[in-house]
């Protein structure tokens, strides 16, 4: 997929471990860090409710960013193409229960948007010095409907 | 902690992001890979029920291993000291809802043990060639009680 990866446990596992009791779906995210290193942080975010206005998108030029929900609740993902340094043609989707996502390095995306409490996620992204955030505020908002 | 890290969102966040709507609890895991690289895999494991017999422990000499539950369900963690190449003095605990764990490189631990279905986890561990698993089967089992 051009924007990133959807991580889940569908289909046959790549490997059975623990005497056959556990399936491993192996290496599902294209982690990519220009410098620094991978780290795990915990995010706790207020929930949002549809319909909502998409006013801003952001990207991280120095690293990929994976969002792993610590609940079975779906969350909203917004990604966009890049058109000369600004996000274009935004697309929104709601994850299925049991799905995590990984955004490729430099992918325009909306901020983390859980649709229910407690909005708890583990985030695997770049730990390193220097700026790694670009924001773009739209002149005209997009409305994301249910 | 000597065996690893507990990752959660307790206390004040290290940083508020997304216009104050999201707290970032920053870089909570001591990821450590002798070679290879970090990757994210999804594990789906059968649930176990207490009391259970601890027959075996394992360790990964080439990398740390983080387990992020994709539900709010507690899971069982067993860790042990190393005594000349075998696990000694095993300790078991049940996580709290909203906690993930990271096992340090080389820490003896029990296999992934969810206590309820669906037993879905994201695992951040070493992706690389070569062996990275040592198992030790106890001559006499330990009983882990509720």
């Amino acid at each position: 997929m051009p924007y990133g990866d959807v991580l889940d446990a569908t289909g046959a596992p790549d490997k059975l471990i623990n005497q056959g009791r556990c399936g491993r779906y192996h290496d599902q995210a294209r982690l990519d860090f220009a410098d620094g290193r991978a780290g795990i942080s915990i995010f706790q975010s207020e929930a949002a409710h549809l319909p909502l206005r998409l006013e801003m998108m952001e990207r991280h030029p120095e690293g990929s960013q994976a969002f792993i929900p610590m609940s079975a609740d779906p969350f909203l993902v917004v990604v966009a193409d890049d058109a000369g340094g600004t996000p274009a043609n935004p697309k929104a989707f709601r994850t299925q229960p049991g799905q995590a996502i990984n955004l490729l390095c430099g992918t325009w995306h909306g901020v983390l948007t859980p649709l229910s409490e407690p909005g708890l996620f583990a985030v695997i992204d770049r730990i390193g010095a220097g700026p790694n955030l670009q924001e773009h505020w739209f002149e005209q908002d997009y409305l994301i409907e249910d």
Side-chain angles (χ1 to χ4, degrees), chain A:
Chain A
M1 275 168 286
Y3 306 103
D5 310 297
V6 175
L7 290 60
D8 59 15
T10 54
D14 296 292
K15 193 176 179 184
L16 279 173
I17 60 174
N18 302 350
Q19 290 75 57
R21 293 175 57 88
C22 183
R24 180 178 177 120
Y25 297 79
H26 186 65
D27 194 20
Q28 295 205 323
R30 286 170 284 175
L31 301 185
D32 177 18
F33 307 103
D35 60 8
R37 58 177 174 81
I40 310 175
S41 300
I42 305 293
F43 282 23
Q44 184 152 34
S45 176
E46 292 175 22
H49 304 281
L50 300 178
L52 66 79
R53 297 204 165 274
L54 178 71
E55 301 175 306
M56 188 269 287
M57 296 186 78
E58 63 182 39
R59 63 177 176 176
H60 308 292
E62 306 301 327
S64 57
Q65 192 173 42
F67 293 92
I68 298 165
M70 294 176 70
S71 71
D73 304 311
F75 59 104
L76 186 75
V77 179
V78 186
V79 292
D81 300 317
D82 179 66
T86 62
N89 192 25
K91 300 167 181 67
F93 70 96
R94 197 192 313 243
T95 60
Q96 298 293 319
Q99 287 183 335
I101 63 153
N102 178 58
L103 300 169
L104 298 187
C105 186
T107 297
W108 287 109
H109 61 278
V111 299
L112 180 62
T113 307
L115 297 170
S116 50
E117 303 292 343
L120 194 65
F121 293 78
V123 177
I124 290 82
D125 65 1
R126 169 186 172 271
I127 307 296
N132 184 27
L133 174 64
Q134 295 176 3
E135 292 185 348
H136 179 82
W137 291 80
F138 294 111
E139 290 187 21
Q140 180 142 12
D141 299 351
Y142 291 86
L143 182 66
I144 302 174
E145 294 182 284
D146 204 356

